[in-house]
Amino acid sequence: MRWPEGLWPVRMARVAVVAPAGALRDALVRVADAGVVELDPGRRPRAGRNAAADLEPAVLASAPDPGRPAEWNRPDLAEGEAQVRERAAGAVRKGHVAAVVGWMPRAAHAALAARLAEVGAALVRLPHPRGVEAPSLLQGEDRRESLRGSLVPLVATYGPVPYADLDPTPLAWAAYVLMFGIMFGDAGHGLLLLAAAAALLAGRPRRAAPLRRAWPFVLGAGITSTAFGVLYGEFFGPTRVVPRLWLSPLDSPVRLLVFAVGLGAVLLAGAYALGIVNRWREGGWSAALYEPSGISGASVFLGAGALAAGAYFQRPGVALAGAAVAVLGLVAASIGFFARAGGGGTGAVETVVELFDLVMRLGANVVSFARLAAFGLTHAALAAVVWTGTAALWHHGGIARAVAALVFVFGTALTFALEALVAGVQALRLEYYELFSRLFTTQGRPFRPWHIRMTAEEVDAPCPQV
């Protein structure tokens, strides 16, 4: 994959499967077996069919032979043939030619065209219809075991990415594990996460096989947690096993708070940059300029930041420039709000309310990143309690040392489990509410290809009736 292709969802093509009427069934079977085409209209579930939820439909390469009853007694073949007949019934026909229309990834066009040529059918590229959004398939989403595919759930859980928007999957993963590491900064705990990632990647334990796709998140969280643990001087608490390279959360909470809020401002600025690109791709320069997640909102955000920085560092020029940029942003946003509200007195009132909400939300979004420092401080405090209790018992010698070992093991396990859960949830919360809300203003339509497996023509015995 060339690097620009990874910046947005898989590029789709509008296609028509064209075949002689007599070969339409064979063409549809090959389309279904390839599983790369979403036909129009999408299949609607039929009530009363498929009583067994785990029944997987199948089709034969050629139509079932009336002289072979076994081919008619297979429930999976019956369901597969029923779906093929439905698709054939919805085809556009003209004379002796029939066609069905749908969407498919551009990269899969050549392979499917070759399969259709075997039965005298063709795959024709069509123009992208105006006003119709193509279905969205994120890079790697159809290859769940790949690295990129393992990262997709972070974005897909929020909602389908619009086809016109950028695909932020790698950046979203990087931001998530970075925020996790700040809150979970402990080199010892980070090494445990790295060991867990290695175990998941190796498929161990077998009971954890359903969680295997999470290994990139566990690996990234382990790396960032270990790195911030070294910066904090934390290794299963303040054990002094690793030197402190930056600050101690318990000794310098204000510095950590300033860092967290500053990092939040940087992440928000990045989200605005991606949001501007998305608004432009969705609706052109007008949307990019007037939408609050576009240039107008970014101007208010950056202008307010420059105003605050100029006032704090006593730089009047910077403060005035920031105020001017913020005012321009508010003017642009008000134009967008007023036009969207339909104008008039009601539109003016709605514009004032929207502007107030925009300003308040910006401040709340920046302050929200203070939770990175708060939970990082909590993690360090819990680890310090466990280590202090362990050290106090250890100095008594004798059986107290055995108790100290138990306190350390169980206290570390409790701290690890509790803080990992809290850090994971809070990082996800910041990702969705503060960052993704600027990247996406609408949701796309997920790509749902039609797939029925093609089975061998040899049918030895009927399956049990369902």
Side-chain angles (χ1 to χ4, degrees), residues 159-231:
V161 175
Y163 182 73
D165 287 7
L166 297 175
D167 177 6
T169 299
L171 295 176
W173 170 83
Y176 179 84
V177 298
L178 174 62
M179 291 186 292
F180 184 98
I182 295 172
M183 293 182 283
F184 201 71
D186 187 291
H189 294 172
L191 292 176
L192 291 178
L193 287 175
L194 291 176
L200 288 175
L201 190 57
R204 296 288 185 272
R206 292 185 178 180
R207 291 182 178 179
L211 302 176
R212 188 176 186 274
R213 290 185 67 193
W215 73 264
F217 294 94
V218 181
L219 176 64
I223 292 174
T224 56
S225 298
T226 302
F228 277 96
V230 173
L231 292 174

Side-chain angles (χ1 to χ4, degrees), residues 103 148 218 221 378:
W103 296 94
R148 183 70 176 259
V218 181
T378 302

Side-chain angles (χ1 to χ4, degrees), residues 1 6 117 151-152 169 184 268 389:
M1 183 198 328
L151 304 180
V152 164
T169 299
F184 201 71
L268 285 171

Side-chain angles (χ1 to χ4, degrees), residues 9 28 83 111 162 356:
L28 288 175
Q83 290 192 30
F356 179 78

Side-chain angles (χ1 to χ4, degrees), residues 63-316:
D65 186 353
R68 303 186 66 182
E71 294 183 354
W72 294 94
N73 292 332
R74 290 270 299 268
D76 56 342
L77 293 180
E79 170 63 16
E81 287 297 326
Q83 290 192 30
V84 172
R85 285 195 300 270
E86 282 189 355
R87 296 296 188 181
V92 177
R93 299 175 185 270
K94 187 172 183 179
H96 298 289
V97 178
V100 292
V101 181
W103 296 94
M104 69 175 298
R106 294 178 186 174
H109 186 278
L112 182 58
R115 293 193 64 182
L116 291 174
E118 299 172 358
V119 294
L123 189 63
V124 182
R125 289 279 294 269
L126 301 176
H128 190 133
R130 289 187 177 183
V132 177
E133 183 178 23
S136 181
L137 175 69
L138 296 184
Q139 301 285 351
E141 190 172 358
D142 53 343
R143 301 185 305 277
R144 295 188 175 186
E145 297 304 319
S146 67
L147 174 59
R148 183 70 176 259
S150 297
L151 304 180
V152 164
L154 178 61
V155 178
T157 301
Y158 182 81
V161 175
Y163 182 73
D165 287 7
L166 297 175
D167 177 6
T169 299
L171 295 176
W173 170 83
Y176 179 84
V177 298
L178 174 62
M179 291 186 292
F180 184 98
I182 295 172
M183 293 182 283
F184 201 71
D186 187 291
H189 294 172
L191 292 176
L192 291 178
L193 287 175
L194 291 176
L200 288 175
L201 190 57
R204 296 288 185 272
R206 292 185 178 180
R207 291 182 178 179
L211 302 176
R212 188 176 186 274
R213 290 185 67 193
W215 73 264
F217 294 94
V218 181
L219 176 64
I223 292 174
T224 56
S225 298
T226 302
F228 277 96
V230 173
L231 292 174
Y232 297 159
E234 297 277 331
F235 185 88
F236 294 112
T239 56
R240 298 184 181 179
V241 172
V242 296
R244 185 177 67 204
L245 300 183
W246 181 35
L247 60 79
S248 169
L250 295 177
D251 295 337
S252 306
V254 175
R255 288 179 61 192
L256 184 61
L257 177 64
V258 173
F259 168 76
V261 173
L263 176 65
V266 172
L267 292 176
L268 285 171
Y272 270 117
L274 296 179
I276 291 171
V277 176
N278 285 345
R279 300 299 85 75
W280 174 73
R281 291 174 62 86
E282 292 168 358
W285 283 111
S286 60
L289 177 60
Y290 297 118
E291 285 289 333
S293 59
I295 295 175
S296 62
S299 299
V300 177
F301 173 73
L302 296 176
L307 175 61
Y312 181 80
F313 293 106
Q314 297 182 352
R315 299 292 181 89

Side-chain angles (χ1 to χ4, degrees), residues 299-300 302-304 306-307 316-332:
S299 299
V300 177
L302 296 176
L307 175 61
V318 174
L320 288 175
V325 171
V327 169
L328 289 175
L330 289 173
V331 170

